[in-house]
Amino acid sequence: MSSRSVDGARAIVTGAAGGIGAALAAELISRGASVVLADLSPTVKQTAEHLAAGSHGDSDGAGPHAHSWVGDVSSVAGVGELIAFADDRLGGVDMYFANAGIIGPAMLGDSDAEWDAIIDVNVRAHIRAAQALVPRWKAAGSGYFVATASAAGLLTQIGSAAYSVTKHASVGFAEWLSVTYRDDGIRASVVCPMGVNTNLLGDAGTGGGAAQRAVTEAGTVLEPEQVASIVLDAVEHEQFLILPHPEVLEMYRMKGSDYDRWLRGMSRYQTRLNGE
């Protein structure tokens, strides 16, 4: 297995105001990387200030290790502005952590607008970032794209078609990047956790608790810092499929070994959850 140190790397982490994104940024900095923390929420400024201060940066977050950018990472214009900002502050981008995500509507949703929103954030944001970065990474002979998906991208998400579909797409896109650009020195990884103690887990319980219980019952709810450490260890070993909850691999194998049996079992599980 090959290895790649993040020491000295220039990284962007999206969805970095809190949760897994903030933890990834902190872990990257602790391993010697310089990071732009990006988020739609202005609170990302405070997160970057805290990390910059801890890494001997300036109090305004403009130190040598942590910088903040506020904007929409799901739009073409936003991605372009973010990368230009990182070029200015860091001198380039070696690693991109496409971590921003939303839970989306329950069940089938009620409108195209709801689906458009989650597709933009959970899928198109990844595509747009890769379109901007892959050409320069090919020219340089190196680059790393890390997508935060979900165990739902390998299995499914009870209670939300949009979340399940977009996380499957996230896994598929990262897989395609890994296959297509490996010979160009570009690596890709995808992170597929189950329950993590973030705002997103709380959002899964909005409008009914079956989706949230499906996650919390399936395995231990991890802290973002635990996930970040696991992710960076795996990235440094250039591991594609990153499973903070190792039991997901066995579930995935069971699904593949007898798909129809797995579907029947999941349907029964959903019925039980809805009956509670």
Side-chain angles (χ1 to χ4, degrees):
M1 181 179 292
S2 58
S3 63
R4 179 182 307 222
S5 173
V6 302
D7 187 19
R10 302 162 298 182
I12 291 173
V13 181
T14 69
I20 294 174
L24 283 171
E27 187 68 21
L28 281 161
I29 290 168
S30 75
R31 299 186 188 210
S34 294
V35 183
V36 169
L37 291 81
D39 205 290
L40 194 61
S41 171
T43 60
V44 74
K45 296 178 181 179
Q46 285 72 52
T47 305
E49 287 171 3
H50 173 73
L51 294 179
S55 60
H56 309 294
D58 298 332
S59 60
D60 64 357
H65 297 292
H67 309 266
S68 62
W69 181 88
V70 179
D72 182 5
V73 299
S74 70
S75 70
V76 174
V79 167
E81 291 169 10
L82 170 58
I83 292 172
F85 179 87
D87 285 341
D88 180 65
R89 296 300 193 275
L90 306 181
V93 179
D94 305 307
M95 310 183 79
Y96 192 94
F97 289 77
N99 173 75
I102 60 175
I103 196 70
M107 300 307 288
L108 290 171
D110 297 317
S111 68
D112 282 352
E114 290 179 320
W115 277 84
D116 285 342
I118 193 170
I119 290 170
D120 274 347
V121 176
N122 290 5
V123 183
R124 291 194 182 109
H126 300 198
I127 297 167
R128 289 162 178 165
Q131 287 172 331
L133 289 168
V134 165
R136 63 161 73 181
W137 286 348
K138 284 184 67 176
S142 180
Y144 211 125
F145 191 96
V146 182
T148 301
S150 166
L154 299 173
L155 305 172
T156 196
Q157 178 64 52
I158 287 174
S160 177
Y163 190 79
S164 182
V165 167
T166 55
K167 291 304 184 179
H168 273 75
S170 175
V171 172
F173 183 66
E175 184 179 277
W176 184 88
L177 287 177
S178 180
V179 169
T180 304
Y181 297 109
R182 175 168 292 273
D183 289 345
D184 296 301
I186 298 171
R187 297 294 180 264
S189 294
V190 65
V191 188
C192 295
M194 288 194 292
V196 183
N197 186 21
T198 67
N199 291 337
L200 200 66
L201 181 60
D203 291 343
T206 304
Q212 188 181 55
R213 289 197 303 275
V215 174
T216 57
E217 285 188 5
T220 302
V221 175
L222 300 178
E223 293 301 319
E225 294 77 14
Q226 294 174 282
V227 174
S229 179
I230 292 167
V231 169
L232 267 295
D233 285 348
V235 164
E236 289 189 329
H237 287 91
E238 297 185 352
Q239 178 181 328
F240 173 73
L241 182 59
I242 305 174
L243 299 175
H245 298 81
E247 58 267 38
V248 170
L249 182 58
E250 184 58 31
M251 297 176 188
Y252 189 47
R253 286 171 173 160
M254 290 174 62
K255 174 182 176 179
S257 67
D258 192 334
Y259 221 130
D260 287 312
R261 179 183 179 186
W262 181 83
L263 288 169
R264 290 192 298 269
M266 287 295 287
S267 181
R268 288 193 299 269
Y269 182 44
Q270 176 181 254
T271 299
R272 182 176 71 78
L273 289 172
N274 287 332
E276 291 181 359

